[in-house]
Structure formats: structure tokens, C-alpha cells
Amino acid sequence: MNPKTEKIISGFCGIWELISEKCSYSIGEPPKSGTYEINFDRDKVHFHVSWEDKDIKSSR
């Protein structure tokens, strides 16, 4: 991967929290909460998503 692309991807790495009240879903309700973890390792980008629905059921 070229350095420019790597720098762009690195800017998105970290842990992101969902702001459910700002979500717009056309089908169903948005999750109550959500966490998105983005990591970059060599030539791969890894995503880990964890949601909690309105009934407090976790999804990974």
C-alpha cells in the first residue's frame, strides 16, 4: 500500500461510538448503542462492530 493511502486509512483508525439519535434508518430502529473499532495492520484494515439494540441485546 502506498504511504498516502496508508496515511488516509490511519486517520480513521481507533474506536468510534455510534450516536444513535443522529442515525437515519429507513427500515427499523437504529441500535441503542454501538462501538466500531477500526485497526490497520500492514495491508489489511480490520473492523470490529458491536451493537446493542433497544432491548439491550448485544450483537457482534
CSV table of all heavy atoms in Angstrom, one decimal:
chain,number,residue,atom,x,y,z
A,1,MET,N,0.9,-1.2,0.0
A,1,MET,CA,0.0,0.0,0.0
A,1,MET,C,0.9,1.2,0.0
A,1,MET,O,1.9,1.3,0.7
A,1,MET,CB,-0.9,0.0,1.2
A,1,MET,CG,-1.9,1.1,1.3
A,1,MET,SD,-3.1,1.0,2.7
A,1,MET,CE,-3.8,-0.6,2.4
A,2,ASN,N,0.5,2.2,-0.8
A,2,ASN,CA,1.3,3.4,-0.8
A,2,ASN,C,1.2,4.3,0.4
A,2,ASN,O,0.2,4.2,1.1
A,2,ASN,CB,1.1,4.2,-2.1
A,2,ASN,CG,-0.3,4.9,-2.1
A,2,ASN,OD1,-0.6,5.6,-1.2
A,2,ASN,ND2,-1.0,4.8,-3.2
A,3,PRO,N,2.2,5.1,0.8
A,3,PRO,CA,2.1,5.9,2.0
A,3,PRO,C,1.0,6.8,2.1
A,3,PRO,O,0.4,7.0,3.2
A,3,PRO,CB,3.5,6.6,2.0
A,3,PRO,CG,4.4,5.8,1.1
A,3,PRO,CD,3.4,5.2,0.1
A,4,LYS,N,0.5,7.4,1.0
A,4,LYS,CA,-0.6,8.3,1.0
A,4,LYS,C,-1.9,7.6,1.4
A,4,LYS,O,-2.6,8.1,2.3
A,4,LYS,CB,-0.8,9.0,-0.3
A,4,LYS,CG,-1.9,10.0,-0.4
A,4,LYS,CD,-2.0,10.7,-1.7
A,4,LYS,CE,-3.0,11.7,-1.7
A,4,LYS,NZ,-3.2,12.4,-3.0
A,5,THR,N,-2.1,6.4,0.9
A,5,THR,CA,-3.3,5.6,1.2
A,5,THR,C,-3.2,5.2,2.7
A,5,THR,O,-4.2,5.2,3.4
A,5,THR,CB,-3.4,4.4,0.3
A,5,THR,OG1,-3.5,4.9,-1.1
A,5,THR,CG2,-4.7,3.6,0.6
A,6,GLU,N,-2.1,4.8,3.1
A,6,GLU,CA,-1.9,4.3,4.5
A,6,GLU,C,-2.2,5.4,5.5
A,6,GLU,O,-2.8,5.2,6.5
A,6,GLU,CB,-0.4,3.8,4.7
A,6,GLU,CG,-0.2,3.2,6.0
A,6,GLU,CD,1.2,2.5,6.1
A,6,GLU,OE1,1.7,2.0,5.1
A,6,GLU,OE2,1.8,2.6,7.2
A,7,LYS,N,-1.7,6.7,5.1
A,7,LYS,CA,-2.0,7.8,6.0
A,7,LYS,C,-3.5,8.1,6.1
A,7,LYS,O,-4.0,8.4,7.2
A,7,LYS,CB,-1.2,9.0,5.5
A,7,LYS,CG,-1.4,10.2,6.3
A,7,LYS,CD,-0.6,11.4,5.8
A,7,LYS,CE,-0.8,12.6,6.7
A,7,LYS,NZ,0.0,13.8,6.3
A,8,ILE,N,-4.2,8.0,5.0
A,8,ILE,CA,-5.6,8.3,5.0
A,8,ILE,C,-6.4,7.2,5.8
A,8,ILE,O,-7.2,7.6,6.7
A,8,ILE,CB,-6.2,8.2,3.5
A,8,ILE,CG1,-5.7,9.5,2.8
A,8,ILE,CG2,-7.7,8.2,3.5
A,8,ILE,CD1,-5.9,9.4,1.3
A,9,ILE,N,-6.0,5.9,5.7
A,9,ILE,CA,-6.6,4.9,6.4
A,9,ILE,C,-6.3,5.0,7.9
A,9,ILE,O,-7.2,4.9,8.8
A,9,ILE,CB,-6.2,3.5,5.9
A,9,ILE,CG1,-6.8,3.2,4.5
A,9,ILE,CG2,-6.6,2.4,6.9
A,9,ILE,CD1,-6.2,2.0,3.8
A,10,SER,N,-5.1,5.4,8.2
A,10,SER,CA,-4.7,5.6,9.6
A,10,SER,C,-5.5,6.6,10.3
A,10,SER,O,-5.8,6.6,11.5
A,10,SER,CB,-3.2,5.9,9.7
A,10,SER,OG,-2.5,4.8,9.3
A,11,GLY,N,-6.0,7.6,9.6
A,11,GLY,CA,-6.8,8.7,10.1
A,11,GLY,C,-8.2,8.2,10.6
A,11,GLY,O,-8.8,8.9,11.4
A,12,PHE,N,-8.6,7.1,10.1
A,12,PHE,CA,-9.9,6.5,10.5
A,12,PHE,C,-9.8,5.5,11.6
A,12,PHE,O,-10.8,5.0,12.2
A,12,PHE,CB,-10.6,5.9,9.3
A,12,PHE,CG,-11.2,6.9,8.4
A,12,PHE,CD1,-10.5,7.3,7.3
A,12,PHE,CD2,-12.4,7.5,8.6
A,12,PHE,CE1,-11.0,8.3,6.4
A,12,PHE,CE2,-12.9,8.5,7.8
A,12,PHE,CZ,-12.2,8.9,6.6
A,13,CYS,N,-8.6,5.1,11.9
A,13,CYS,CA,-8.3,4.0,12.9
A,13,CYS,C,-8.7,4.5,14.3
A,13,CYS,O,-8.5,5.7,14.6
A,13,CYS,CB,-6.9,3.5,12.9
A,13,CYS,SG,-6.5,2.6,11.4
A,14,GLY,N,-9.1,3.6,15.2
A,14,GLY,CA,-9.5,4.0,16.5
A,14,GLY,C,-10.8,3.4,16.9
A,14,GLY,O,-11.3,2.5,16.2
A,15,ILE,N,-11.4,3.9,18.0
A,15,ILE,CA,-12.7,3.4,18.5
A,15,ILE,C,-13.7,4.5,18.3
A,15,ILE,O,-13.5,5.6,18.7
A,15,ILE,CB,-12.6,3.0,19.9
A,15,ILE,CG1,-11.6,1.8,20.1
A,15,ILE,CG2,-14.0,2.6,20.4
A,15,ILE,CD1,-11.4,1.4,21.5
A,16,TRP,N,-14.8,4.2,17.6
A,16,TRP,CA,-15.8,5.2,17.3
A,16,TRP,C,-17.1,4.7,18.0
A,16,TRP,O,-17.4,3.6,18.0
A,16,TRP,CB,-16.1,5.2,15.8
A,16,TRP,CG,-14.9,5.6,15.0
A,16,TRP,CD1,-13.8,4.9,14.7
A,16,TRP,CD2,-14.6,6.9,14.4
A,16,TRP,NE1,-12.9,5.6,13.9
A,16,TRP,CE2,-13.3,6.9,13.8
A,16,TRP,CE3,-15.3,8.1,14.4
A,16,TRP,CZ2,-12.8,7.9,13.1
A,16,TRP,CZ3,-14.7,9.2,13.8
A,16,TRP,CH2,-13.5,9.1,13.1
A,17,GLU,N,-17.8,5.7,18.6
A,17,GLU,CA,-19.1,5.4,19.2
A,17,GLU,C,-20.2,5.9,18.4
A,17,GLU,O,-20.2,7.0,17.9
A,17,GLU,CB,-19.1,6.2,20.6
A,17,GLU,CG,-18.1,5.6,21.6
A,17,GLU,CD,-18.4,4.2,22.1
A,17,GLU,OE1,-19.6,3.9,22.2
A,17,GLU,OE2,-17.5,3.5,22.4
A,18,LEU,N,-21.2,5.1,18.2
A,18,LEU,CA,-22.4,5.5,17.5
A,18,LEU,C,-23.2,6.5,18.3
A,18,LEU,O,-23.4,6.4,19.5
A,18,LEU,CB,-23.3,4.2,17.3
A,18,LEU,CG,-24.6,4.4,16.6
A,18,LEU,CD1,-24.4,4.7,15.1
A,18,LEU,CD2,-25.5,3.2,16.8
A,19,ILE,N,-23.7,7.5,17.6
A,19,ILE,CA,-24.6,8.5,18.2
A,19,ILE,C,-26.0,8.2,17.6
A,19,ILE,O,-26.4,8.6,16.5
A,19,ILE,CB,-24.2,9.9,17.8
A,19,ILE,CG1,-22.8,10.2,18.3
A,19,ILE,CG2,-25.2,10.9,18.4
A,19,ILE,CD1,-22.2,11.5,17.9
A,20,SER,N,-26.8,7.3,18.3
A,20,SER,CA,-28.0,6.7,17.7
A,20,SER,C,-29.0,7.8,17.4
A,20,SER,O,-29.8,7.6,16.4
A,20,SER,CB,-28.6,5.7,18.6
A,20,SER,OG,-28.9,6.2,19.9
A,21,GLU,N,-29.1,8.9,18.2
A,21,GLU,CA,-30.1,9.9,17.9
A,21,GLU,C,-29.8,10.7,16.6
A,21,GLU,O,-30.7,11.3,16.1
A,21,GLU,CB,-30.3,10.8,19.1
A,21,GLU,CG,-29.1,11.6,19.5
A,21,GLU,CD,-28.3,10.8,20.6
A,21,GLU,OE1,-28.6,9.7,20.9
A,21,GLU,OE2,-27.3,11.4,21.0
A,22,LYS,N,-28.7,10.5,16.0
A,22,LYS,CA,-28.3,11.2,14.8
A,22,LYS,C,-28.4,10.2,13.6
A,22,LYS,O,-28.2,10.6,12.5
A,22,LYS,CB,-26.9,11.8,14.8
A,22,LYS,CG,-26.8,12.9,15.8
A,22,LYS,CD,-25.5,13.7,15.6
A,22,LYS,CE,-25.6,15.0,16.4
A,22,LYS,NZ,-24.5,15.9,16.1
A,23,CYS,N,-28.8,9.0,13.9
A,23,CYS,CA,-28.9,8.0,12.8
A,23,CYS,C,-30.3,8.1,12.1
A,23,CYS,O,-31.3,8.5,12.6
A,23,CYS,CB,-28.8,6.6,13.4
A,23,CYS,SG,-27.3,6.2,14.1
A,24,SER,N,-30.2,7.8,10.8
A,24,SER,CA,-31.4,7.8,10.0
A,24,SER,C,-31.5,6.4,9.3
A,24,SER,O,-30.7,6.0,8.5
A,24,SER,CB,-31.4,8.9,8.9
A,24,SER,OG,-32.5,8.8,8.0
A,25,TYR,N,-32.5,5.6,9.8
A,25,TYR,CA,-32.7,4.2,9.2
A,25,TYR,C,-34.0,4.2,8.5
A,25,TYR,O,-35.0,4.6,9.0
A,25,TYR,CB,-32.7,3.2,10.4
A,25,TYR,CG,-31.4,2.9,10.9
A,25,TYR,CD1,-30.6,3.8,11.6
A,25,TYR,CD2,-30.9,1.6,10.7
A,25,TYR,CE1,-29.4,3.5,12.1
A,25,TYR,CE2,-29.6,1.3,11.2
A,25,TYR,CZ,-28.9,2.2,11.9
A,25,TYR,OH,-27.6,1.9,12.4
A,26,SER,N,-34.0,3.7,7.3
A,26,SER,CA,-35.2,3.6,6.5
A,26,SER,C,-36.1,2.4,6.9
A,26,SER,O,-37.3,2.4,6.7
A,26,SER,CB,-34.9,3.5,5.0
A,26,SER,OG,-34.1,2.5,4.7
A,27,ILE,N,-35.4,1.3,7.4
A,27,ILE,CA,-36.1,0.1,7.9
A,27,ILE,C,-35.7,-0.2,9.3
A,27,ILE,O,-34.5,-0.4,9.6
A,27,ILE,CB,-35.8,-1.1,7.0
A,27,ILE,CG1,-36.2,-0.8,5.6
A,27,ILE,CG2,-36.4,-2.3,7.5
A,27,ILE,CD1,-35.8,-1.9,4.6
A,28,GLY,N,-36.7,-0.1,10.2
A,28,GLY,CA,-36.4,-0.4,11.6
A,28,GLY,C,-35.8,0.7,12.4
A,28,GLY,O,-35.6,1.8,11.9
A,29,GLU,N,-35.5,0.4,13.6
A,29,GLU,CA,-34.9,1.5,14.5
A,29,GLU,C,-33.4,1.3,14.6
A,29,GLU,O,-32.9,0.2,14.5
A,29,GLU,CB,-35.5,1.3,15.9
A,29,GLU,CG,-37.0,1.6,16.0
A,29,GLU,CD,-37.5,1.5,17.4
A,29,GLU,OE1,-36.8,1.9,18.3
A,29,GLU,OE2,-38.6,0.9,17.5
A,30,PRO,N,-32.7,2.4,14.8
A,30,PRO,CA,-31.2,2.3,15.0
A,30,PRO,C,-30.9,1.6,16.3
A,30,PRO,O,-31.8,1.5,17.2
A,30,PRO,CB,-30.8,3.8,15.0
A,30,PRO,CG,-32.0,4.5,15.4
A,30,PRO,CD,-33.2,3.8,14.9
A,31,PRO,N,-29.7,1.1,16.4
A,31,PRO,CA,-29.4,0.4,17.7
A,31,PRO,C,-29.3,1.4,18.8
A,31,PRO,O,-29.2,2.6,18.6
A,31,PRO,CB,-28.0,-0.1,17.4
A,31,PRO,CG,-27.5,0.4,16.1
A,31,PRO,CD,-28.7,1.0,15.5
A,32,LYS,N,-29.5,1.0,20.1
A,32,LYS,CA,-29.4,1.8,21.2
A,32,LYS,C,-28.0,2.4,21.4
A,32,LYS,O,-27.8,3.6,21.7
A,32,LYS,CB,-29.8,1.1,22.5
A,32,LYS,CG,-29.8,1.9,23.7
A,32,LYS,CD,-30.2,1.1,24.9
A,32,LYS,CE,-30.0,2.0,26.2
A,32,LYS,NZ,-30.3,1.3,27.4
A,33,SER,N,-27.0,1.5,21.1
A,33,SER,CA,-25.6,2.0,21.2
A,33,SER,C,-24.8,1.1,20.3
A,33,SER,O,-25.2,0.0,19.9
A,33,SER,CB,-25.1,1.9,22.6
A,33,SER,OG,-25.0,0.5,23.0
A,34,GLY,N,-23.6,1.6,19.9
A,34,GLY,CA,-22.8,0.8,19.0
A,34,GLY,C,-21.3,1.3,19.2
A,34,GLY,O,-21.1,2.5,19.4
A,35,THR,N,-20.4,0.4,19.0
A,35,THR,CA,-19.0,0.7,19.0
A,35,THR,C,-18.4,0.1,17.8
A,35,THR,O,-18.7,-1.0,17.4
A,35,THR,CB,-18.3,0.1,20.3
A,35,THR,OG1,-19.0,0.6,21.4
A,35,THR,CG2,-16.9,0.5,20.3
A,36,TYR,N,-17.5,0.9,17.1
A,36,TYR,CA,-16.8,0.5,15.9
A,36,TYR,C,-15.3,0.6,16.2
A,36,TYR,O,-14.9,1.7,16.5
A,36,TYR,CB,-17.2,1.3,14.7
A,36,TYR,CG,-18.7,1.4,14.5
A,36,TYR,CD1,-19.5,2.2,15.2
A,36,TYR,CD2,-19.3,0.5,13.5
A,36,TYR,CE1,-20.9,2.2,15.0
A,36,TYR,CE2,-20.6,0.6,13.3
A,36,TYR,CZ,-21.5,1.4,14.0
A,36,TYR,OH,-22.8,1.4,13.8
A,37,GLU,N,-14.6,-0.4,16.1
A,37,GLU,CA,-13.2,-0.4,16.3
A,37,GLU,C,-12.5,-0.7,14.9
A,37,GLU,O,-12.8,-1.7,14.3
A,37,GLU,CB,-12.7,-1.4,17.3
A,37,GLU,CG,-11.2,-1.3,17.6
A,37,GLU,CD,-10.8,-2.2,18.8
A,37,GLU,OE1,-11.7,-2.7,19.5
A,37,GLU,OE2,-9.6,-2.3,19.0
A,38,ILE,N,-11.7,0.2,14.5
A,38,ILE,CA,-11.0,0.1,13.2
A,38,ILE,C,-9.5,0.1,13.4
A,38,ILE,O,-9.0,1.0,14.0
A,38,ILE,CB,-11.4,1.3,12.2
A,38,ILE,CG1,-12.9,1.4,12.1
A,38,ILE,CG2,-10.7,1.1,10.9
A,38,ILE,CD1,-13.4,2.6,11.4
A,39,ASN,N,-8.9,-0.9,12.9
A,39,ASN,CA,-7.4,-1.1,13.1
A,39,ASN,C,-6.8,-1.3,11.7
A,39,ASN,O,-7.4,-2.0,10.8
A,39,ASN,CB,-7.1,-2.3,14.0
A,39,ASN,CG,-7.6,-2.0,15.4
A,39,ASN,OD1,-7.3,-1.0,16.0
A,39,ASN,ND2,-8.3,-3.0,15.9
A,40,PHE,N,-5.6,-0.9,11.5
A,40,PHE,CA,-4.8,-1.1,10.3
A,40,PHE,C,-3.6,-1.9,10.6
A,40,PHE,O,-2.8,-1.6,11.5
A,40,PHE,CB,-4.4,0.2,9.7
A,40,PHE,CG,-3.6,0.2,8.5
A,40,PHE,CD1,-4.2,-0.4,7.3
A,40,PHE,CD2,-2.3,0.6,8.4
A,40,PHE,CE1,-3.4,-0.4,6.1
A,40,PHE,CE2,-1.6,0.6,7.3
A,40,PHE,CZ,-2.1,0.0,6.1
A,41,ASP,N,-3.4,-3.0,9.9
A,41,ASP,CA,-2.2,-3.9,10.1
A,41,ASP,C,-1.6,-4.3,8.8
A,41,ASP,O,-2.2,-5.1,8.1
A,41,ASP,CB,-2.7,-5.2,10.9
A,41,ASP,CG,-1.6,-6.1,11.2
A,41,ASP,OD1,-0.4,-5.7,11.3
A,41,ASP,OD2,-1.8,-7.3,11.3
A,42,ARG,N,-0.5,-3.7,8.5
A,42,ARG,CA,0.1,-4.0,7.2
A,42,ARG,C,-0.8,-3.6,6.1
A,42,ARG,O,-1.1,-2.4,5.9
A,42,ARG,CB,0.7,-5.4,7.1
A,42,ARG,CG,1.7,-5.7,8.1
A,42,ARG,CD,2.3,-7.0,7.9
A,42,ARG,NE,3.1,-7.3,9.1
A,42,ARG,CZ,3.7,-8.4,9.3
A,42,ARG,NH1,3.6,-9.4,8.4
A,42,ARG,NH2,4.5,-8.6,10.3
A,43,ASP,N,-1.2,-4.5,5.3
A,43,ASP,CA,-2.1,-4.2,4.1
A,43,ASP,C,-3.5,-4.5,4.4
A,43,ASP,O,-4.3,-4.6,3.5
A,43,ASP,CB,-1.6,-5.0,2.9
A,43,ASP,CG,-0.3,-4.4,2.3
A,43,ASP,OD1,0.0,-3.3,2.7
A,43,ASP,OD2,0.4,-5.2,1.6
A,44,LYS,N,-3.9,-4.7,5.7
A,44,LYS,CA,-5.3,-5.1,6.0
A,44,LYS,C,-5.9,-4.1,6.9
A,44,LYS,O,-5.3,-3.6,7.9
A,44,LYS,CB,-5.3,-6.5,6.6
A,44,LYS,CG,-4.9,-7.5,5.6
A,44,LYS,CD,-4.9,-8.9,6.3
A,44,LYS,CE,-4.4,-10.0,5.3
A,44,LYS,NZ,-4.4,-11.3,5.9
A,45,VAL,N,-7.2,-3.8,6.7
A,45,VAL,CA,-8.0,-3.0,7.6
A,45,VAL,C,-8.9,-3.9,8.3
A,45,VAL,O,-9.6,-4.7,7.7
A,45,VAL,CB,-8.7,-1.9,6.9
A,45,VAL,CG1,-9.6,-1.0,7.8
A,45,VAL,CG2,-7.8,-1.0,6.1
A,46,HIS,N,-9.0,-3.9,9.7
A,46,HIS,CA,-9.8,-4.7,10.5
A,46,HIS,C,-10.9,-3.9,11.1
A,46,HIS,O,-10.7,-2.8,11.7
A,46,HIS,CB,-9.0,-5.4,11.6
A,46,HIS,CG,-7.9,-6.2,11.0
A,46,HIS,ND1,-8.0,-7.6,10.7
A,46,HIS,CD2,-6.6,-5.9,10.8
A,46,HIS,CE1,-6.9,-8.0,10.3
A,46,HIS,NE2,-6.0,-7.1,10.3
A,47,PHE,N,-12.2,-4.4,11.0
A,47,PHE,CA,-13.3,-3.8,11.6
A,47,PHE,C,-13.9,-4.7,12.7
A,47,PHE,O,-14.1,-5.9,12.4
A,47,PHE,CB,-14.4,-3.5,10.6
A,47,PHE,CG,-14.0,-2.4,9.6
A,47,PHE,CD1,-13.3,-2.8,8.4
A,47,PHE,CD2,-14.4,-1.1,9.8
A,47,PHE,CE1,-13.0,-1.8,7.5
A,47,PHE,CE2,-14.0,-0.2,8.8
A,47,PHE,CZ,-13.3,-0.5,7.7
A,48,HIS,N,-14.2,-4.2,13.8
A,48,HIS,CA,-15.0,-4.9,14.9
A,48,HIS,C,-16.1,-4.0,15.2
A,48,HIS,O,-16.0,-2.9,15.7
A,48,HIS,CB,-14.1,-5.2,16.1
A,48,HIS,CG,-14.8,-5.9,17.2
A,48,HIS,ND1,-15.0,-7.2,17.2
A,48,HIS,CD2,-15.4,-5.4,18.3
A,48,HIS,CE1,-15.7,-7.6,18.2
A,48,HIS,NE2,-16.0,-6.5,18.9
A,49,VAL,N,-17.3,-4.6,15.0
A,49,VAL,CA,-18.6,-3.8,15.3
A,49,VAL,C,-19.3,-4.5,16.4
A,49,VAL,O,-19.5,-5.7,16.4
A,49,VAL,CB,-19.4,-3.7,14.0
A,49,VAL,CG1,-20.7,-3.0,14.3
A,49,VAL,CG2,-18.7,-3.1,12.9
A,50,SER,N,-19.8,-3.7,17.4
A,50,SER,CA,-20.6,-4.2,18.5
A,50,SER,C,-21.8,-3.3,18.7
A,50,SER,O,-21.6,-2.1,18.9
A,50,SER,CB,-19.7,-4.3,19.7
A,50,SER,OG,-20.5,-4.7,20.8
A,51,TRP,N,-23.0,-3.9,18.6
A,51,TRP,CA,-24.2,-3.1,18.7
A,51,TRP,C,-25.0,-3.6,19.9
A,51,TRP,O,-25.0,-4.8,20.2
A,51,TRP,CB,-25.1,-3.2,17.5
A,51,TRP,CG,-24.7,-2.3,16.3
A,51,TRP,CD1,-23.6,-1.5,16.2
A,51,TRP,CD2,-25.4,-2.2,15.1
A,51,TRP,NE1,-23.6,-0.9,15.0
A,51,TRP,CE2,-24.7,-1.3,14.3
A,51,TRP,CE3,-26.6,-2.7,14.6
A,51,TRP,CZ2,-25.2,-0.9,13.0
A,51,TRP,CZ3,-27.0,-2.4,13.4
A,51,TRP,CH2,-26.3,-1.5,12.6
A,52,GLU,N,-25.8,-2.7,20.4
A,52,GLU,CA,-26.8,-3.1,21.5
A,52,GLU,C,-28.1,-2.5,21.0
A,52,GLU,O,-28.3,-1.3,20.8
A,52,GLU,CB,-26.4,-2.5,22.8
A,52,GLU,CG,-26.9,-3.2,24.0
A,52,GLU,CD,-26.3,-2.6,25.3
A,52,GLU,OE1,-26.7,-1.6,25.7
A,52,GLU,OE2,-25.3,-3.2,25.8
A,53,ASP,N,-29.1,-3.4,20.8
A,53,ASP,CA,-30.4,-3.0,20.3
A,53,ASP,C,-31.2,-2.3,21.5
A,53,ASP,O,-30.8,-2.3,22.6
A,53,ASP,CB,-31.2,-4.1,19.6
A,53,ASP,CG,-31.7,-5.2,20.5
A,53,ASP,OD1,-31.6,-5.0,21.7
A,53,ASP,OD2,-32.1,-6.2,20.0
A,54,LYS,N,-32.4,-1.8,21.2
A,54,LYS,CA,-33.2,-1.1,22.1
A,54,LYS,C,-33.6,-2.0,23.3
A,54,LYS,O,-34.0,-1.6,24.4
A,54,LYS,CB,-34.5,-0.6,21.5
A,54,LYS,CG,-35.4,-1.6,20.9
A,54,LYS,CD,-36.6,-0.9,20.3
A,54,LYS,CE,-37.6,-2.1,19.9
A,54,LYS,NZ,-38.9,-1.6,19.8
A,55,ASP,N,-33.6,-3.4,23.1
A,55,ASP,CA,-33.9,-4.3,24.2
A,55,ASP,C,-32.7,-4.8,24.9
A,55,ASP,O,-32.7,-5.8,25.6
A,55,ASP,CB,-34.7,-5.5,23.6
A,55,ASP,CG,-36.0,-5.1,23.0
A,55,ASP,OD1,-36.7,-4.2,23.5
A,55,ASP,OD2,-36.4,-5.6,21.9
A,56,ILE,N,-31.6,-4.1,24.7
A,56,ILE,CA,-30.3,-4.4,25.4
A,56,ILE,C,-29.8,-5.8,25.0
A,56,ILE,O,-29.1,-6.5,25.7
A,56,ILE,CB,-30.4,-4.3,26.9
A,56,ILE,CG1,-31.1,-3.1,27.4
A,56,ILE,CG2,-29.0,-4.3,27.5
A,56,ILE,CD1,-30.5,-1.8,27.0
A,57,LYS,N,-30.0,-6.2,23.7
A,57,LYS,CA,-29.4,-7.4,23.2
A,57,LYS,C,-28.1,-7.1,22.4
A,57,LYS,O,-28.2,-6.2,21.6
A,57,LYS,CB,-30.4,-8.2,22.3
A,57,LYS,CG,-31.6,-8.7,23.1
A,57,LYS,CD,-32.6,-9.4,22.1
A,57,LYS,CE,-33.8,-9.7,22.8
A,57,LYS,NZ,-34.9,-10.2,21.9
A,58,SER,N,-27.0,-7.7,22.7
A,58,SER,CA,-25.8,-7.5,22.1
A,58,SER,C,-25.7,-8.2,20.8
A,58,SER,O,-26.2,-9.3,20.6
A,58,SER,CB,-24.6,-7.8,23.0
A,58,SER,OG,-24.6,-7.0,24.1
A,59,SER,N,-25.0,-7.6,19.8
A,59,SER,CA,-24.7,-8.2,18.5
A,59,SER,C,-23.3,-7.9,18.2
A,59,SER,O,-22.8,-6.8,18.2
A,59,SER,CB,-25.7,-7.6,17.5
A,59,SER,OG,-25.3,-8.1,16.2
A,60,ARG,N,-22.5,-8.9,17.8
A,60,ARG,CA,-21.1,-8.7,17.4
A,60,ARG,C,-20.9,-9.4,16.1
A,60,ARG,O,-21.4,-10.4,15.7
A,60,ARG,CB,-20.2,-9.3,18.4
A,60,ARG,CG,-20.2,-8.5,19.6
A,60,ARG,CD,-19.2,-8.9,20.6
A,60,ARG,NE,-19.2,-8.0,21.7
A,60,ARG,CZ,-18.2,-7.8,22.5
A,60,ARG,NH1,-17.2,-8.6,22.4
A,60,ARG,NH2,-18.3,-6.9,23.5
